[in-house]
Amino acid sequence: MRHATTAENNMLPKLKRKKTPSLRKWVGLLAGLAIGTTVTYGKAQAQYAGQLSSIVVDARTGAVLSQDDPDLRRYPASLTKLMTLYMTFNALRAGAISLDQAVPVSIHASTMEPSKLGLVPGSHLTVEQAILALVTKSANDAACALGELIGGGSEPQFAAMMTQQAHYLGMSNTTFRNASGLPDPDQMTTARDLATLGRRLISDFPEYYHYFSTPYFSFHRRIIPNHNPMLKVYAGADGMKTGYTQEAGRNLVTSAIRDNVRLVGVVMGASSNNQRSLVMANQLDRGFDAEGVAPVARPLMLARAQIGTRTARNHHALIMAASAHRRVVEVASAPAARRGRHVMAMPVSGGHHVRLIGAKVRPATATSSRSATKHHATHNHT
């Protein structure tokens, strides 16, 4: 395990830098800082049933192109995993973990509600497999296991680190309580905060952004498809994440690029998957139009409803034509272990300085997983 570089030390919180600290000391101090600086908000009194929150921003400048109640504090559901992934990319950048490192599966992680891979306690998966499980299937057991790895065996500690990182990024109305997004009354965010997170994922970690466009990956001889419909139905969309619980409604963060203009859109609280996709598509279209980008036909979308009032928005239906003979190409099957490889620190694009919140990593000796238990199909938490 290498020590942090000078550049990384310059990005740390105000710690003594007379001597490069060991990883254990470094993460211990940061974990304590994370817990000490976590802000606790009161429980949400309502989740604005039937009311959408949305925002579209220019990914490069942060300019707001459209918004509708973007500051209502809402449950993120599985959009929480975007911050879990941000923390994972941070730890990879710092060299604290590697893509082929084994992630132990605890009893706690294995008991997460679906959507899940069905991981067995005592088994392992790699960090890269966990990343792929989060961006495709939104697997709650993989998210918890990854959080425990980075949080030193404690998901609550990892959640405190997530919250500290969120506040450093400017997500002042966000609090995390777990790594997956499973329901917790204190786990709250806003559409505006999630747009900030989406922008920073793209600009801070360009070397890892490609994972969000993974169409599917192979895990223990099973094909795990990506749940994000925007990758199929919206021209230029190349990530990021869906989310759903009964309390949160249907949530979605999407990034799309056309003519070198990249937008990040957020829709929260939709009443159906069709409404969520249609609202996002229309909002992104309006955003590209505002940026002077020529419109593009929607080959897989037959409905192009105009968004007017909130009432009308709630009743629009999205009708998608079946894609004829779509060729499935496996592009993201997790590779065999590559011993000794660590991801080196890289300059951050766009002039951002990434503050690395410590990764407290438990030693792992295994590099392969045992066979997973039978998959439990559900649509409750994605």
Side-chain angles (χ1 to χ4, degrees):
M1 192 74 67
R2 67 176 180 82
H3 294 298
T5 64
T6 301
E8 288 165 351
N9 283 330
N10 290 336
M11 291 185 280
L12 297 177
K14 297 179 180 178
L15 303 176
K16 293 181 180 179
R17 300 191 186 105
K18 292 181 181 178
K19 183 163 130 183
T20 302
S22 68
L23 178 62
R24 180 175 297 178
K25 182 177 179 181
W26 176 64
V27 300
L29 288 168
L30 286 171
L33 180 62
I35 294 172
T37 57
T38 297
V39 178
T40 300
Y41 294 96
K43 293 183 179 180
Q45 299 302 312
Q47 274 298 296
Y48 316 104
Q51 182 175 347
L52 291 175
S53 293
S54 66
I55 190 170
V56 174
V57 300
D58 184 298
R60 183 179 61 84
T61 66
V64 176
L65 304 176
S66 67
Q67 58 184 334
D68 186 4
D69 292 325
D71 297 311
L72 295 180
R73 298 193 73 231
R74 316 189 70 137
Y75 299 134
S78 281
L79 299 186
T80 298
K81 294 182 179 76
L82 291 175
M83 181 55 77
T84 300
L85 289 163
Y86 191 100
M87 301 295 291
T88 301
F89 299 156
N90 252 349
L92 287 166
R93 174 73 64 76
I97 60 175
S98 62
L99 286 170
D100 58 359
Q101 181 170 340
V103 181
V105 179
S106 68
I107 294 175
H108 173 62
S110 71
T111 60
M112 293 294 104
E113 295 180 31
S115 179
K116 62 194 294 183
L117 289 177
L119 300 173
V120 178
S123 66
H124 297 78
L125 73 166
T126 68
V127 169
E128 186 166 41
Q129 286 174 324
I131 291 170
L132 292 167
L134 266 60
V135 299
T136 58
K137 186 174 178 56
S138 195
N140 295 322
D141 49 1
C144 181
L146 197 54
E148 288 178 335
L149 175 74
I150 300 172
S154 169
E155 187 181 20
Q157 178 169 285
F158 179 70
M161 294 160 61
M162 293 167 70
T163 301
Q164 187 203 13
Q165 183 70 74
H167 293 173
Y168 178 77
L169 297 178
M171 300 167 63
S172 58
N173 289 312
T174 295
T175 302
F176 293 109
R177 289 290 181 258
N178 58 53
S180 63
L182 285 170
D184 185 298
D186 293 328
Q187 184 150 270
M188 303 289 292
T189 190
T190 66
R192 191 184 304 277
D193 279 3
L194 288 171
T196 296
L197 178 56
R199 290 183 59 225
R200 294 300 295 265
L201 277 163
I202 295 164
S203 63
D204 293 350
F205 303 107
E207 69 270 36
Y208 301 122
Y209 179 71
H210 66 91
Y211 283 116
F212 289 103
S213 61
T214 302
Y216 77 95
F217 85 108
S218 174
F219 184 75
H220 292 172
R221 299 182 181 179
R222 287 185 292 145
I223 300 302
I224 311 295
N226 197 314
H227 284 179
N228 187 349
M230 297 302 289
L231 296 175
K232 298 183 180 74
V233 303
Y234 192 80
D238 57 7
M240 294 184 161
K241 189 78 188 67
T242 62
Y244 168 72
T245 65
Q246 184 175 359
E247 297 86 354
R250 270 80 174 179
N251 298 340
L252 178 63
V253 175
T254 298
S255 179
I257 185 168
R258 294 178 183 173
D259 293 347
N260 294 319
V261 173
R262 179 177 289 282
L263 305 183
V264 173
V266 182
V267 173
M268 304 187 75
S271 59
S272 69
N273 292 339
N274 288 344
Q275 184 199 36
R276 179 177 67 181
S277 296
L278 181 60
V279 170
M280 178 65 77
N282 278 281
Q283 296 281 65
L284 289 173
D285 276 356
R286 288 169 22 177
F288 281 120
D289 183 65
E291 297 275 56
V293 177
V296 175
R298 300 182 190 174
L300 297 178
M301 300 175 69
L302 303 181
R304 194 178 178 88
Q306 296 297 316
I307 296 180
T309 65
R310 186 170 293 137
T311 301
R313 203 181 305 136
N314 288 341
H315 293 285
H316 281 309
L318 172 66
I319 304 173
M320 291 183 288
S323 179
H325 307 294
R326 281 186 64 87
R327 185 169 63 95
V328 179
V329 180
E330 184 164 354
V331 298
S333 182
R338 294 154 292 196
R339 295 183 182 277
R341 194 192 79 165
H342 293 278
V343 178
M344 303 299 291
M346 298 177 63
V348 177
S349 67
H352 290 304
H353 296 285
V354 182
R355 186 179 188 179
L356 300 176
I357 304 304
K360 189 171 184 179
V361 181
R362 294 185 298 175
T365 56
T367 57
S368 62
S369 305
R370 273 198 242 149
S371 295
T373 55
K374 187 177 180 181
H375 167 61
H376 300 285
T378 183
H379 300 289
N380 290 336
H381 306 293
T382 62

